[in-house]
Amino acid sequence: MARRLDRVPVVVRVLYGLLGFLLVSYFAWLIVRRPDQSSGLVDGWLVAGGEVVVALLCLARAIGPRRGRAIPLLLGAGVLSWAIGDVLLTLESAGGATAPTPSLADAFYLGFYPFVYVAVGLLVHKGAGKLSAASWLDGAVAGLGAAAVAATFAFNRILQTVGGDGVAVAAHLAYPIGDVLLLALIVGGTTLLPGRRHGPWLLLAAACALNAVGDTFNLFESAASPSTLGAVFNGIAWPTAILWISISVWLRPGRTNPLTALRTGGFLLPGLGAAAGLTILFVGTMHSIDTLALGLALATLATVGLRLALSVRRLRALTEERHRQAMTDELTGLGNRRQLFSLLDSFFADNADTRTAQRDLAFLFIDLDHFKEINDSFGHAAGDDLLRQLGPRLASSLRPTDILVRVGGDEFGVLIMDATPRYASSVAERLMARLEEPFVLDSVTVGISASIGIATAPTDATESTGLLRSADLAMYRAKLGISSIEIYTQAIDDGGNRLRLVEELRAAVGEGGFVLHYQPQLDLRSGEISAVEALVRWPHPRLGLVPPLDFLPLAEEAGLMQPLTALIFDSALAQCAAWHADGRRLTVSVNVSPSNLLDPGFVDSVRDALARHRLPASALSIEITETTIIGDFGRCKQVIAQLRGLGVGVSVDDFGAGFTSLAYLGSLAVSELKLDRRFITDLSASDGKRDLALVRATVELGHALGLRVVAEGIEDAATLEMLTSVGCDFAQGYFICRPMPASDVDLSPWSAAPRPMAVRRAS
Ligand code: C2E
Ligand code: CA
Ligand code: CA
């Protein structure tokens, strides 16, 4: 309390102290004197005078440029009106005269109420500015309940005890009515202001309650015989109430706790109000209860009904909102995995019902390729942005009845009713086309691709998890294979579950569980084997020797490419060093993936590996595919230059698929061109003439740029002969030798006669 008064001027504090002291002394005197003993000077003038000072102190709070003057002004006016009433009564009853009923003093006493109502209303309004309708109704229930209780007790007795003419009864009744209303306001306000109930409010509330008690005592005292308790209460209640009201305007409200300020009010007061209303109505069926009290009780219960209706409505809205939130993906606003399952579950439940016709459903499982790299290179905000843009884009190529959901991470799903696998794959193609259009993310433009797996129900699955699993397997197949869209077939399923494979792959990387096969490159001028290409394989306990195209995309996706490539380099260079030690000065070619080139430590790791195996840089050639180079030309150009700086050879693998990169070639520091295999395979066909012309042109171009030209994929003697005739430098292919373990590779010089190696075990 002391802290709350700290900004109050000293004069005001001293005056309140003095008034408090006088009040306590008066209280003591009331207790010790006889009930019938009264003093016009003390009971009349001293009390009235004190009250005037109290009223002036209250008004003084409104002086100065402070904000919020209305409340002290109103309360001050109310208290002053009361004090004037006391002065008038003292005048009217001077010299032992009996004041008339009603008297002019009553008019001033009653003038107190309107001022205080408005002040209390303002306080509640200020404190509860942003309250909900429900809170207001709670306040109304509590207030009406309190009013009903007060009316039940006050009015019954008053009507029984107070006699006199109509005006006198009205004057007497005006006080309890005024008090009941004030009490209702105070109780209602207290309900409304949880966490906002401050010192000033509580003091004001206590004062109003005390005032009502004083009024009640006064009524009964004036009618019945006086008692000490009655006289004491009668004398002390009003001056105390008025003093408290006056002090309340000077108190500073305590700081609001932001955590409790938003809490809605408890149920105690409204609950009591409702219970009171109910009890009064119940008792009213047996005993006579004042009509006003019954009316108030009825109003309380009607408000309770309203409040309940409101609660039910809010609860329903809340339930709907929670349901919506539970089914929605926060980032994209699309449905989430939960919604997907709920839809699928109800689809399968409907289909299980034999009374209705079975329907078909296709599920498309979409997984973005290399999304992790987008996150890593551009940041998670950009990744999120892309996912957000993706939703509307995909939705635009779907029918309104198709459902698009985000299954999680970079996985999306589409549900299409009554769709055949054929229709579903046409939708998948449309989606893929939309998806491959570039995305603009915070000033950078990125292109993405995806893999889509399609499964249909009830053909592929008869429950939700099974359908998702089938589509997932098909998607995984799409990731590994040539086509980026795959429809689920039983055959795919035999390959095993994708997640399991990723874990097995991770373990294999940890244990170095890979083997390299080597495929010789024939020097077409000398007939010597002067180089080999290292090709990785994964010996798998269940799946056998897994070819690289079946697990490298998975390693890439799982972020395992870096350690895997390190293993491959180590093993290839160890083998190369062994050959060198044997006197075979072979060059080993090693393939690298796009993510290896993005790795900033890549060139250093190549240099270290060469040093570890004590090999000259010229013993190593690194193969980078043409599509990789086109994908990130700037970065590749830089890495190629650094590798060449080390003295390592760099080859453009799978070159010539479209001759798109010829223009770039001159600016790259590469040392070798490796013609695309598909392109070579067609040479020996009957219409291979045009291809031969193209190969010749490419070889000439390569030579003009000072590059070695290697042809791969040579499967027959005719092709080998043609390549020799156009001036190709090196040749590689099954016809010469299949890739095989180092110990099996035939490195002896080429003889035109078919080599037994060419038909040996393929890998
Ligand atoms: P690539 O670099 O174009 O490798 C040549 C592929 O052609 C090898 O397939 C090889 O077995 C195959 N091939 C060789 N001669 C013939 C032939 O006469 N006819 C036919 N039809 N094919 C022939 P493989 O070993 O399955 O490798 C496939 C691809 O996997 C490679 O294509 C390469 O891009 C990638 N790869 C293989 N090993 C590695 C590696 O260690 N690291 C990386 N990053 N990629 C690798
Ligand atoms: Ca290669
Ligand atoms: Ca190749």
Side-chain angles (χ1 to χ4, degrees):
M1 183 71 88
R3 211 162 31 84
R4 297 199 170 158
L5 279 168
D6 57 5
R7 283 206 205 136
V8 179
V10 184
V11 206
V12 176
R13 270 194 267 182
V14 168
L15 279 172
Y16 275 129
L18 215 64
L19 285 164
F21 175 74
L22 281 177
L23 195 67
V24 172
S25 313
Y26 180 55
F27 185 50
W29 185 62
L30 282 178
I31 292 172
V32 294
R33 78 178 189 189
R34 286 195 316 279
D36 56 349
Q37 187 187 1
S38 67
S39 149
L41 186 69
V42 178
D43 294 332
W45 289 115
L46 193 70
V47 170
E51 284 173 358
V52 171
V53 178
V54 166
L56 293 178
L57 279 176
C58 189
L59 287 170
R61 175 65 178 78
I63 299 173
R66 291 195 187 93
R67 280 177 62 227
R69 282 197 232 173
I71 287 161
L73 272 179
L74 283 164
L75 288 177
V79 173
L80 191 64
S81 178
W82 189 279
I84 292 171
D86 260 353
V87 171
L88 288 176
L89 189 74
T90 309
L91 277 175
E92 282 169 4
S93 46
T98 313
T101 308
S103 78
L104 188 61
D106 283 314
F108 280 93
Y109 283 139
L110 291 172
F112 165 81
Y113 291 105
F115 287 116
V116 180
Y117 292 158
V118 179
V120 170
L122 272 180
L123 265 176
V124 173
H125 181 76
K126 225 172 70 180
K130 285 178 220 110
L131 282 185
S132 61
S135 299
W136 285 109
L137 284 175
D138 278 347
V141 169
L144 282 169
V149 173
T152 308
F153 290 107
F155 291 92
N156 262 14
R157 291 283 300 280
I158 295 161
L159 291 179
Q160 284 160 20
T161 46
V162 179
D165 60 43
V167 186
V169 172
H172 270 116
L173 273 180
Y175 292 98
I177 289 177
D179 285 338
V180 163
L181 199 59
L182 190 55
L183 218 60
L185 272 175
I186 290 288
V187 174
T190 307
T191 311
L192 281 176
L193 301 172
R196 300 173 176 83
R197 292 172 205 151
H198 305 307
W201 172 266
L202 288 179
L203 198 61
L204 183 65
C208 291
L210 192 64
N211 178 59
V213 172
D215 281 345
T216 315
F217 267 102
N218 178 50
L219 261 176
F220 299 139
E221 280 306 310
S222 59
S225 55
S227 66
T228 311
L229 186 68
V232 170
F233 234 101
N234 205 351
I236 201 77
W238 293 321
T240 309
I242 278 169
L243 183 66
W244 285 356
I245 290 176
S246 177
I247 293 177
S248 80
V249 304
W250 287 97
L251 286 187
R252 257 194 313 147
R255 217 169 279 156
T256 325
N257 180 350
L259 297 180
T260 52
L262 284 174
R263 213 166 51 197
T264 43
F267 276 116
L268 183 67
L269 287 175
L272 284 176
L278 209 64
T279 314
I280 290 167
L281 284 182
F282 179 68
V283 173
T285 59
M286 295 177 284
H287 300 277
S288 86
I289 282 185
D290 183 73
T291 333
L292 181 67
L294 282 177
L296 283 168
L298 214 62
T300 311
L301 289 183
T303 318
V304 169
L306 223 78
R307 171 73 171 91
L308 278 181
L310 201 75
S311 292
V312 169
R313 225 183 61 185
R314 257 188 43 188
L315 207 68
R316 196 179 302 139
L318 220 70
T319 314
E320 277 166 15
E321 174 60 18
R322 290 231 352 223
H323 180 76
R324 200 189 61 74
Q325 275 178 8
M327 294 288 183
T328 310
D329 169 56
E330 217 176 302
L331 180 69
T332 57
L334 298 172
N336 59 13
R337 196 182 181 87
R338 203 175 281 134
Q339 185 187 41
L340 175 67
F341 272 96
S342 128
L343 290 170
L344 284 177
D345 286 347
S346 57
F347 166 80
F348 284 113
D350 274 358
N351 254 15
D353 188 343
T354 45
R355 287 166 302 176
T356 53
Q358 287 232 329
R359 293 180 74 180
D360 293 323
L361 177 145
F363 178 65
L364 276 60
F365 197 93
I366 307 169
D367 187 285
L368 305 187
D369 300 333
H370 311 299
F371 183 68
K372 191 178 167 294
E373 277 155 41
I374 291 182
N375 264 339
D376 290 349
S377 358
F378 303 112
H380 283 264
D384 285 355
D385 192 15
L386 190 145
L387 293 177
R388 264 193 298 266
Q389 289 185 33
L390 197 59
R393 201 188 266 196
L394 294 182
S396 71
S397 43
L398 294 171
R399 299 174 305 184
T401 46
D402 303 337
I403 289 162
L404 174 67
V405 295
R406 179 171 174 221
V407 185
D410 59 346
E411 297 168 342
F412 291 81
V414 178
L415 284 177
I416 309 174
M417 284 304 294
D418 305 317
T420 58
R422 200 196 172 89
Y423 176 72
S425 64
S426 76
V427 173
E429 272 161 31
R430 269 206 318 266
L431 291 174
M432 193 70 90
R434 288 291 281 139
L435 198 138
E436 281 169 354
E437 291 166 20
F439 286 84
V440 180
L441 308 175
D442 193 24
S443 83
V444 291
T445 305
V446 294
I448 55 161
S449 59
S451 307
I452 303 183
I454 301 171
T456 51
T459 325
D460 300 335
T462 48
E463 42 80 42
S464 312
T465 333
L467 184 68
L468 239 69
R469 186 180 162 276
S470 301
D472 186 34
L473 283 176
M475 186 276 291
Y476 172 47
R477 184 62 180 205
K479 271 230 158 100
L480 292 181
I482 299 161
S483 165
S484 50
I485 299 171
E486 286 281 347
I487 298 176
Y488 173 84
T489 59
Q490 193 57 48
I492 288 180
D493 216 343
D494 302 334
N497 172 307
R498 172 175 179 232
L499 275 175
R500 191 164 143 201
L501 218 55
V502 172
E503 284 325 304
E504 289 168 344
L505 189 61
R506 200 182 299 283
V509 169
E511 297 156 6
F514 298 89
V515 295
L516 291 183
H517 283 189
Y518 296 89
Q519 189 175 34
Q521 290 181 355
L522 172 66
D523 183 333
L524 290 176
R525 266 179 258 288
S526 66
E528 301 275 338
I529 302 297
S530 57
V532 289
E533 178 177 8
L535 297 158
V536 69
R537 275 99 183 86
W538 178 22
H540 189 281
R542 213 163 12 92
L543 305 171
L545 200 62
V546 186
L549 289 180
D550 282 5
F551 70 86
L552 289 177
L554 196 61
E556 187 90 78
E557 189 79 6
L560 294 169
M561 213 60 218
Q562 217 169 297
L564 178 59
T565 305
L567 283 176
I568 293 166
F569 266 98
D570 222 41
S571 164
L573 291 180
Q575 181 56 52
C576 185
W579 276 318
H580 278 227
D582 264 6
R584 296 282 335 212
R585 304 222 137 251
L586 290 173
T587 302
V588 175
S589 295
V590 177
N591 296 281
V592 294
S593 306
S595 64
N596 294 134
L597 298 172
L598 286 176
D599 168 17
F602 176 67
V603 176
D604 287 342
S605 71
V606 171
R607 185 200 293 118
D608 295 348
L610 282 167
R612 248 196 330 275
H613 296 284
R614 296 203 174 78
L615 280 172
S618 59
L620 177 65
S621 175
I622 289 178
E623 298 193 4
I624 307 172
T625 63
E626 182 189 345
T627 42
T628 304
I629 296 173
I630 297 170
D632 190 350
F633 187 76
R635 174 77 191 147
C636 285
K637 184 176 169 178
Q638 196 186 344
V639 177
I640 289 168
Q642 288 170 349
L643 289 170
R644 295 290 292 136
L646 290 182
V648 172
V650 176
S651 175
V652 184
D653 202 355
D654 300 343
F655 180 80
F659 287 92
T660 45
S661 62
L662 267 180
Y664 295 121
L665 208 57
S667 67
L668 292 173
V670 292
S671 49
E672 181 182 281
L673 280 191
K674 218 169 165 181
L675 302 183
D676 189 51
R677 190 175 71 225
R678 275 161 286 181
F679 194 57
I680 303 297
T681 316
D682 292 340
L683 276 185
S684 58
S686 53
D687 58 347
K689 288 225 157 42
R690 235 185 101 236
D691 284 321
L692 186 64
L694 283 176
V695 171
R696 178 182 286 126
T698 312
V699 170
E700 279 164 10
L701 179 97
H703 286 165
L705 292 169
L707 308 176
R708 300 182 345 151
V709 181
V710 183
E712 66 176 336
I714 295 152
E715 293 182 350
D716 51 47
T719 310
L720 183 62
E721 207 166 300
M722 275 189 250
L723 286 164
T724 315
S725 72
V726 297
C728 198
D729 304 303
F730 290 85
Q732 184 184 341
Y734 291 171
F735 180 64
I736 299 156
C737 185
R738 285 184 180 258
M740 48 187 65
S743 53
D744 297 345
V745 185
D746 182 0
L747 299 171
S748 58
W750 173 256
S751 66
R755 295 153 49 110
M757 290 299 175
V759 289
R760 262 171 66 174
R761 173 169 55 94
S763 66

